[in-house]
Amino acid sequence: MRTGIATVSIAGDFATKLEAIAAAGYDGIEIFEQDFLASDLSPQAAGQMVRDHGLEVLLFQPFRDFEGLPDPLRARAFTRAKRKFALMNELGTDLMLICSSVHPQSLGGIDRAAEDLAALGAIAAEYGVRVGYEALAWGRHVDDHRDAWEIVRRADHPQIGLILDSYHTLARGIDPDTIRRIPGEKIFFVQLADAPAIRMDLLYLSRHFRCMPGEGDLDVTAFMRAVLATGYDGPLSLEVFNDQFRAGLPRLVALDGHRSLINLMDGVRRAAPSVGVDLPAMPAPAPVERVEFIEFVTAIGDAPRIEALLESLGFRLTGKHASKAVRRFQQNGVSILVNTEQQGYAHSAFLSHGTCVSEIAIVVPDARQTFARGKALLAEPFGDGPNPGELDIPSLRGVGGSLLRLLDDHSDLAQLWDVDFIPIAHADDTGAGLIAVDHISQTMPFDEMLSWTQFYTALLAAKKEPMVDVADPEGLVRSQAVKSGALRVTLNGAEARRTLATRFLADSFGAATQHIAFACDDIFATAQALSENGFAVLPIGANYYDDLDARYDLPPDLFARLKTNNILFDQDDTGQFFQLYSRPFGDGLFFEIVQRTDRYDGYGAPNAPFRIAAQARLGQPVTIPKR
Ligand code: MG
Ligand code: MG
């Protein structure tokens, strides 16, 4: 699989773009003319710079408003094309993209366009270059790849071929299977992009909201299956116009893009094993069976406060790490570790984040398979050199530099608690009825949301919920829930107010886990147990309960119990949802306790503004980690 990306997809000047693209492992680039013009490099120097980065110039684009023009505009278009062919010779690329005309004076007619392209093909041959014709979804006369193909077919010139772009086909709702009847050798190039399912002008959507395959809602997999069925074996290149990416970290965006191509083609292979996909084999995405533990790192002096909070939640100290300053607190199937190491990974996480969630351990069917999939998808493996006799747990770098530990129940990794931990005996204690980790909420700058959503959905067998908006006193927060088996993660993104420079310095380490929600079976029994333990609940304002009373016709005694216990309530046609919160600790971390009934699958989004307002009243940091 040869991969490419258009320079327009990445932030920075020409050299920065090339560095990021090369580092992410692509084979080549599409030079977007504006990026070249802005560079002030000579064409030869620009081409050399590309090759010095180990990259190939796959395509020069775009050449606009060529076909169907009346004279003298037509003659001028040919002169312009010759100038660009000469430029391509100097750059060292042999393929130019012409997009279907939007010129107000361009004339329709498939034969007219075909004749223009055939005439251009003859000139292109003199320069040793080829021309690919692409239907823009908003082209004046040609806005459909089927018409573009008919024009190319009638032009019938070896230098003239078709360029397909998943966005232009899928955003217009054109059946991608219509691609299957095009001969693969006449498809000169394939551009890939996804987009969210938002109703808006296709040009505006394209220029601002395209995203990497898998990050949006278009069926790019079906598009690629159809492309491969034609026998096309040329490069797969990302052409993504996105406001966030153009302001994002070049290396992060370039890497996300390459990961999206690998994940896309892995998905194509799984959907259509008979289609030959040229990609190294990798294990299938698997669902998460459970969250085994969550580790907090904190200062020695702050640990007693966190441990007291855990005890008030019904957790009991049940183990100490054999060689590290790590204590295990447990309640039913839930383990929370408190790490106060003064060296190594945990300590560096503490130095960069303060008290934070440093590790999340998930149980998957086969930890080493999921780890191998992560590596194939360009996730960063992490090895912290276990002490002799301790387990070497496969780990990947996750959100904000935290670790995603991978365990399973069928290998030596099942022995974690017996091998690495010294148990502390306890009188039998069922705690406060917390039975599992319900969800993990992670907060990040908005421009990292697509990246981390892709991390989870590519690595694991996972599905995304529709994004929801949450009104925060500091601005709108967008929330994206991802669910993989027993793992639920909510990713919350706020518009970044930091500058590009500070983001670069901080890399992606501004992101962090913000709250952990535990599941229980009986929220009122749990609330009672918590209160007996001295748990300090987040007080919810009276206005919330007045509104709740107005919205739902709840039985009076249920309503009274909700209000007395500071429990938030949500209901839809799938079931009911009960929530209560701890007060914030550390730099705005908190715990949530939830109970779901029937098939309720949400996160109480209607309640979030009330929760945030309640936290704000305590004068504690909320929502966005400010470091
Ligand atoms: Mg395109
Ligand atoms: Mg929550």
Side-chain angles (χ1 to χ4, degrees), residues 291-358:
V291 176
E292 182 68 20
F293 70 78
I294 290 169
E295 179 181 283
F296 287 87
V297 62
T298 191
I300 294 171
D302 291 336
R305 251 191 80 215
I306 292 173
E307 296 184 352
L309 174 57
L310 290 171
E311 283 169 352
S312 75
L313 281 162
F315 287 89
R316 294 291 174 266
L317 179 67
T318 61
K320 287 184 179 177
H321 195 279
S323 67
K324 293 178 181 160
V326 180
R327 286 147 62 91
R328 178 192 187 191
F329 290 79
Q330 194 182 351
Q331 174 167 193
N332 299 310
V334 188
S335 288
I336 303 289
L337 307 184
V338 178
N339 186 325
T340 52
E341 279 281 286
Q342 296 300 295
Q343 56 187 4
Y345 159 73
H347 191 56
S348 61
F350 176 73
L351 291 179
S352 43
H353 286 297
T355 296
C356 66
V357 169
S358 47

Side-chain angles (χ1 to χ4, degrees), residues 107 116 129 134 160 176 179 181 225 229 270 303 345-346 390-391 453 500-501 537 582 620 622 625:
L107 303 166
D116 283 350
V129 301
E134 175 195 44
I160 302 294
I179 291 168
R181 58 184 87 119
R225 285 177 61 180
R270 288 177 202 289
Y345 159 73
E390 291 171 10
L391 291 178
T453 303
L500 186 66
V537 70
S582 78
Q620 299 274 5
V622 289

